[in-house]
Amino acid sequence: KAGVTQTPRYLIKTRGQQVTLSCSPISGHRSVSWYQQTPGQGLQFLFEYFSETQRNKGNFPGRFSGRQFSNSRSEMNVSTLELGDSALYLCASRTGTGDGNTIYFGEGSWLTVV
Amino acid sequence: AQSVSQHNHHVILSEAASLELGCNYSYGGTVNLFWYVQYPGQHLQLLLKYFSGDPLVKGIKGFEAEFIKSKFSFNLRKPSVQWSDTAEYFCAVRGLDGNNRKLIWGLGTSLAVNP
């Protein structure tokens, strides 16, 4: 069974640009979450989608947005990039949104903003 | 607000030494507790979890953790570490009372095991 797949793995963007990251969950998983990981802040929850609907949201500005497609694949978008957005962006999937569902992480997308 | 505190940011041990990584959380209600590990160059993976029942939880690779409700703690232990345990370890907590059941993460502990 393939794991959570994220693309691209590495990218460099300039301040002010926008970026779209993609995530394919494990087959059969309908819930996708996004996290930002930085050395100083650790793992911070961005949002979670289930059945194309955002179910939960973290404390990030509106520049961070996401969506989920009918095949459970998800994208997140960051507009008007800032230097502080440089981070590892992790996608995680699980079968549903129940508390007992284990989440599985992808390898992440490394974003560098210059 | 919920928070998770991992007291040790960097730990260096020799092989065969015993390991204990601290994790404390602030949340007064029912919780689910997790430890995840991230080996160098790999993705985060679940080490062990506590939902209910026996507060001593056994995980993969000889790891265990004990939930002490009165201390709001979920410390990770391993009696004898190996070089291959070198990794970053993350504690996470999900509060179960209410609608907003986000996972809250600690900042992680970097473990280096010297051969």
Side-chain angles (χ1 to χ4, degrees):
Chain A
K1 205 177 198 181
V4 178
T5 306
Q6 291 187 243
T7 57
R9 290 294 318 280
Y10 305 92
L11 68 166
I12 300 174
K13 289 286 189 177
T14 306
R15 268 185 303 176
Q17 287 186 312
Q18 66 94 27
V19 67
T20 299
L21 307 177
S22 181
C23 173
S24 293
I26 291 172
S27 176
H29 286 195
R30 295 173 62 194
S31 167
V32 174
S33 305
W34 288 91
Y35 291 84
Q36 182 194 66
Q37 186 178 12
T38 58
Q41 300 293 321
L43 269 149
Q44 293 191 287
F45 173 77
L46 281 155
F47 25 67
E48 180 175 26
Y49 287 86
F50 180 80
S51 292
E52 303 178 65
T53 303
Q54 189 179 89
R55 296 303 178 104
N56 229 329
K57 189 177 187 305
N59 300 320
F60 278 80
R63 300 186 297 108
F64 292 81
S65 62
R67 58 178 177 166
Q68 187 181 34
F69 303 95
S70 58
N71 61 359
S72 295
R73 195 176 68 82
S74 177
E75 288 180 347
M76 68 161 280
N77 185 279
V78 188
S79 62
T80 321
L81 284 165
E82 300 176 1
L83 294 179
D85 297 332
S86 295
L88 176 65
Y89 289 87
L90 293 171
C91 173
S93 76
R94 51 179 177 156
T95 52
T97 56
D99 297 324
N101 300 140
T102 299
I103 61 175
Y104 296 85
F105 285 87
E107 293 185 332
S109 292
W110 284 98
L111 170 65
T112 301
V113 182
V114 298
Chain B
Q2 297 175 48
S3 66
V4 177
S5 174
Q6 292 183 239
H7 317 296
N8 319 98
H9 297 296
H10 300 282
V11 174
I12 302 174
L13 294 173
S14 298
E15 275 195 315
S18 65
L19 170 72
E20 179 158 4
L21 302 182
C23 173
N24 285 85
Y25 64 93
S26 65
Y27 185 79
T30 308
V31 291
N32 288 159
L33 300 159
F34 307 82
W35 275 98
Y36 276 81
V37 60
Q38 189 171 30
Y39 296 103
Q42 296 187 28
H43 59 276
L44 273 161
Q45 54 188 287
L46 182 67
L47 204 52
L48 48 79
K49 61 186 178 183
Y50 171 82
F51 283 174
S52 64
D54 188 345
L56 185 62
V57 179
K58 304 273 186 199
I60 60 171
K61 303 188 181 185
F63 285 91
E64 65 178 32
E66 185 176 12
F67 171 45
I68 303 180
K69 191 174 181 181
S70 60
K71 294 185 178 180
F72 300 92
S73 71
F74 190 55
N75 291 355
L76 181 71
R77 300 195 292 249
K78 186 171 183 178
S80 176
V81 294
Q82 300 171 309
W83 176 77
S84 58
D85 293 324
T86 295
E88 188 107 19
Y89 292 82
F90 294 90
C91 179
V93 177
R94 177 184 287 128
L96 299 183
D97 304 317
N99 295 324
N100 196 1
R101 299 184 172 191
K102 297 180 295 190
L103 263 180
I104 307 297
W105 296 79
L107 291 181
T109 298
S110 175
L111 171 66
V113 180
N114 295 323

